[in-house]
Structures are given as structure tokens and as C-alpha cells.
């Protein structure tokens, strides 16, 4: 009688019933083909994510290089104009502060988007 109330026996019998039902349900199905298709789909999904990540990273590297180049070009022009006395000292400080503030603010804005 102790064996009849044993939860392990009940669990084994319910598992056996489940296996039998699944065997009957899947009798004409090629499980190996299903598993292979599923794994292939996962592999393709992973490759697509990897490609997207690489493309996105490449875009931001190019954008960073372009923005940095433009800021340094503007800074160089401001310093050159100040050196030949075309810009007064008070204007020089304002221009340099504006360009540096723009560069810092622009870089923070793109970090917040990600």
C-alpha cells in the first residue's frame, strides 16, 4: 500500500503517459529535422545581430571621426585668426568656449540616445 501512495510512482506513471501521447502525436514527424531547422534559425539570428552591431559601431566611429575633425578644424581656424590679430581677446574666449561647449554637449547627446 505504501507504494501506491508514493509520489515518485505517480510521477513516473504520468511521465510515461505523456511520453506515449507525444510518441503518438509525433509519429510521422522527423524530430532531427525540426531540431536542425531550429538551430539553423538561431544561428542565422545570431549572425544578423552580429552584422547589425558591427554596422552600427562602424557608423558611430565614422560619425565621431567626422565630428572631431570639424571641431578641430574650427578650433584651428579660430586660433589662427587670433594669432594674426583678426579676432580680439574677448571674442576669442567666447568662440573657443562656444565650440568646446558644442563638442561636449553634442557628444553627451549621442551617448544618451544609445
Amino acid at each position: 500500500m505504501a507504494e501506491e501512495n508514493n509520489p515518485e510512482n505517480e510521477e513516473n506513471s504520468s511521465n510515461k503517459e505523456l511520453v506515449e501521447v507525444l510518441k503518438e502525436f509525433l509519429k510521422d514527424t522527423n524530430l532531427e529535422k525540426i531540431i536542425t531547422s531550429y538551430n539553423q534559425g538561431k544561428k542565422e539570428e545570431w549572425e544578423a545581430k552580429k552584422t547589425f552591431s558591427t554596422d552600427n559601431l562602424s557608423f558611430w566611429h565614422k560619425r565621431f571621426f567626422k565630428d572631431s575633425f570639424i571641431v578641430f578644424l574650427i578650433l584651428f581656424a579660430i586660433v589662427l585668426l587670433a594669432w594674426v590679430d583678426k579676432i580680439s581677446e574677448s571674442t576669442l574666449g567666447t568662440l573657443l568656449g562656444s565650440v568646446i561647449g558644442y563638442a561636449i554637449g553634442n557628444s553627451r547627446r549621442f551617448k544618451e540616445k544609445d
Side-chain angles (χ1 to χ4, degrees), residues 8-9 24 30 35-36 44 64 67 75 78 85 94 107:
E8 289 180 15
N9 287 341
E24 183 65 31
N30 187 349
I35 292 170
T36 304
E44 289 172 1
F64 174 76
D67 288 348
L75 287 174
I78 291 171
D85 291 331
T94 304
S107 67

Side-chain angles (χ1 to χ4, degrees), residues 27-69:
K27 66 181 175 184
D28 294 331
T29 308
N30 187 349
L31 293 178
E32 185 177 341
K33 187 176 181 182
I34 292 172
I35 292 170
T36 304
S37 299
Y38 176 76
N39 289 337
Q40 182 66 24
K42 284 292 187 183
K43 183 178 178 183
E44 289 172 1
E45 178 184 3
W46 183 79
E47 289 293 329
K49 285 181 181 179
K50 181 178 163 186
T51 302
F52 175 75
S53 178
T54 303
D55 290 347
N56 196 21
L57 184 62
S58 176
F59 169 76
W60 287 112
H61 278 246
K62 289 176 185 174
R63 179 145 190 177
F64 174 76
F65 178 75
K66 181 191 77 160
D67 288 348
S68 299
F69 178 74

Side-chain angles (χ1 to χ4, degrees), residues 61-104:
H61 278 246
K62 289 176 185 174
R63 179 145 190 177
F64 174 76
F65 178 75
K66 181 191 77 160
D67 288 348
S68 299
F69 178 74
I70 290 171
V71 167
F72 286 120
L73 185 66
I74 291 171
L75 287 174
F76 178 74
I78 291 171
V79 169
L80 184 65
L81 289 171
W83 188 54
V84 293
D85 291 331
K86 295 291 183 185
I87 298 177
S88 66
E89 290 179 14
S90 61
T91 308
L92 173 65
T94 304
L95 285 173
L96 290 175
S98 298
V99 171
I100 292 170
Y102 168 79
I104 292 171

Side-chain angles (χ1 to χ4, degrees), residues 3-4 6-20:
E3 291 180 11
E4 291 177 11
N6 190 350
E8 289 180 15
N9 287 341
E10 290 177 15
E11 189 175 309
N12 287 339
S13 65
S14 66
N15 284 342
K16 287 179 184 176
E17 291 173 7
L18 180 62
V19 168
E20 290 302 320

